[in-house]
Amino acid sequence: MAGELPFETPLVKLREKIQELEQFGSEKGIDFTDEIARLEERYRQLEEEIYSSISPSQKMHLARHHQRPTSLDMIGLIFEDFIELHGDRVFGDDLAVVGGLAKLGGVPVTVIGQQRGKDTKDNIARFFGSAHPEGFRKALRLMQQADKFRRPIVTFIDTKGAYPGITAEERGQSEAIARNLRDMSMLRVPVICVVLGEGGSGGALALGVGNRVLMLENAIYSVISPNGAASILWKDASKADQAAEAMKITAQDLLEMGVIEEIVPEPRGGAHRDYDSTAEAIKAALHRHLEELSNLHPDELVEDRYRKFRKIGEFQVAGKSAAPVAPESVVEVAGMIEDKAPSDASGESAAASEVQAAEQS
């Protein structure tokens, strides 16, 4: 097992024993068929025990596995005729974000993803998947192009967060993320977001405002990385595992809270074990959701996206769920207040006049 994680050590040792027994039997001409069969059965049982009860901290390590499939891996396996487009038309081309035109089952789409490197040199070039402002602006440029030509949009989220360096701040990091959030909310085409590995902070949200948000089974999605949370809470980043347990960052947690719409199953042991089956599962989910969303009018798509995010964060008062207030209700109430507010000779409301008099006294 290449790239095994600490909690997989018992499986690795048992697999080594099986291989040793097979090799010894082959060299000595001894039949160990029954013994090997018993060990294989034990291996399957142990595998079921381990992978059916993975903790949030273990999922965090699976999501960060260096062999986990990247956006480009999935784009190559899911879509046809992918043409990558470059640059934000303002500053440059950020390799931490990739995107372009492709076809999904013959349907033209725009696909965008955050891209980690495959080795140290590649990671440095791609800033470990953490985008600068030009990366987010490139993504937005491609989404606006898709909106103009009525192409559905698929985004792949896989980042620890936006690049935190001074160069990114100088070029308007927070503005770029905020603009993506605003403009993605108003796109008049279907938008489906898929969390492949780690979805961290604003860097993930900048590609995450979709009609549907899907997550791979062992992916994580959080407002801050577990390492960052541990640094803030306990002044010790090494307590990331403890933070992960408390933050509700797994796909199962987020589905229960209504943050995502679907969990895409992974192969036993994680997506890095079988790229092809992972891609097939994502592709099937994309087809299903795009077919559903394609029946909606552009106005309905915008409203559907608004309702999705508006319902997140419902609170309870005295044990009862408080439904979010519809925006039209807010406008209506504000209008009633404005119409009924008495005014003095200067045109100010009576309340404003009272405040002014109190300040003068």
Side-chain angles (χ1 to χ4, degrees):
M1 294 175 64
E4 67 275 359
L5 296 170
F7 67 90
E8 297 174 307
T9 300
L11 286 174
V12 175
K13 291 182 177 180
L14 187 54
R15 175 54 61 190
E16 290 175 350
K17 289 182 179 179
I18 294 171
Q19 292 173 347
E20 289 174 2
L21 194 58
E22 288 175 337
Q23 183 178 357
F24 183 76
S26 177
E27 292 175 353
K28 302 298 182 181
I30 304 173
D31 185 8
F32 290 119
T33 303
D34 292 340
E35 289 80 358
I36 291 173
R38 283 195 293 271
L39 289 175
E40 289 284 3
E41 178 61 26
R42 173 56 186 153
Y43 183 90
R44 286 189 290 271
Q45 292 175 354
L46 185 60
E47 189 178 47
E48 176 65 25
E49 292 172 7
I50 290 175
Y51 292 123
S52 63
S53 58
I54 300 178
S55 69
S57 61
Q58 290 169 340
K59 285 181 181 290
M60 176 185 70
H61 293 294
L62 278 173
R64 293 174 171 178
H65 198 285
H66 67 281
Q67 293 179 342
R68 194 168 179 84
T70 65
S71 294
L72 285 177
D73 291 327
M74 292 295 97
I75 289 171
L77 292 170
I78 295 172
F79 301 92
E80 310 95 44
D81 302 328
F82 175 62
I83 301 174
E84 185 175 355
L85 301 178
H86 299 271
D88 69 338
R89 304 297 186 266
V90 176
F91 180 83
D93 187 31
D94 188 346
L95 299 181
V97 175
V98 297
L101 313 178
K103 291 182 180 178
L104 180 63
V107 177
V109 299
T110 290
V111 57
I112 304 164
Q114 289 152 334
Q115 179 66 23
R116 293 177 290 106
K118 287 290 189 179
D119 52 38
T120 302
K121 182 179 179 180
D122 196 20
N123 263 319
I124 292 172
R126 298 185 184 278
F127 300 99
F128 293 84
S130 295
H132 282 69
E134 53 268 28
F136 298 124
R137 290 174 181 139
K138 173 168 69 172
L140 183 58
R141 178 177 75 83
L142 298 180
M143 287 187 276
Q144 290 170 335
Q145 181 193 76
D147 196 44
K148 178 178 180 179
F149 293 102
R150 314 303 306 157
R151 288 193 300 267
I153 298 169
V154 177
T155 70
F156 290 117
I157 296 170
D158 189 14
T159 182
K160 285 183 170 62
Y163 187 75
I166 190 171
T167 54
E169 295 298 326
E170 288 173 343
R171 298 201 287 270
Q173 185 73 289
S174 59
E175 185 275 341
I177 294 173
R179 185 179 293 272
N180 276 32
L181 298 179
R182 184 195 67 183
D183 290 4
M184 283 189 77
S185 70
M186 297 185 289
L187 293 170
R188 296 170 62 82
V189 294
V191 182
I192 300 178
C193 310
V194 184
V195 184
L196 291 180
E198 183 172 9
S201 193
L205 287 177
L207 266 64
V209 184
N211 297 91
R212 302 290 183 269
V213 179
L214 319 179
M215 284 182 69
L216 284 180
E217 183 180 356
N218 295 313
I220 60 174
Y221 197 20
S222 59
V223 69
I224 188 173
S225 72
N227 305 72
S231 296
I232 293 171
L233 294 175
W234 300 294
K235 311 299 180 185
D236 185 357
S238 66
K239 293 186 177 181
D241 286 358
Q242 185 177 342
E245 298 288 341
M247 290 172 62
K248 302 292 184 183
I249 60 176
T250 69
Q252 293 73 18
D253 292 325
L254 295 167
L255 180 65
E256 183 179 345
M257 292 187 288
V259 176
I260 67 170
E261 279 65 49
E262 182 177 339
I263 299 174
V264 180
E266 295 186 27
R268 181 62 60 84
H272 59 285
R273 301 287 182 208
D274 189 342
Y275 284 20
D276 290 331
S277 64
T278 301
E280 283 301 317
I282 295 175
K283 188 174 183 178
L286 291 177
H287 275 298
R288 188 167 58 254
H289 287 285
L290 276 180
E291 183 178 358
E292 177 186 342
L293 293 171
S294 64
N295 296 321
L296 299 181
H297 185 273
D299 291 338
E300 293 176 315
L301 288 168
V302 175
E303 179 67 15
D304 173 80
R305 204 175 302 123
Y306 171 83
R307 293 294 176 187
K308 169 191 165 47
F309 285 92
R310 190 69 176 85
K311 73 181 181 182
I312 297 174
E314 291 185 8
F315 57 92
Q316 288 188 339
V317 178
K320 295 182 180 180
S321 178
V325 179
E328 56 271 19
S329 301
V330 176
V331 174
E332 183 179 342
V333 171
M336 292 171 61
I337 294 173
E338 184 177 346
D339 291 340
K340 294 182 179 181
S343 299
D344 59 16
S346 63
E348 296 176 325
S349 69
S353 298
E354 291 177 7
V355 171
Q356 185 177 13
E359 290 176 347
Q360 291 174 350
S361 63

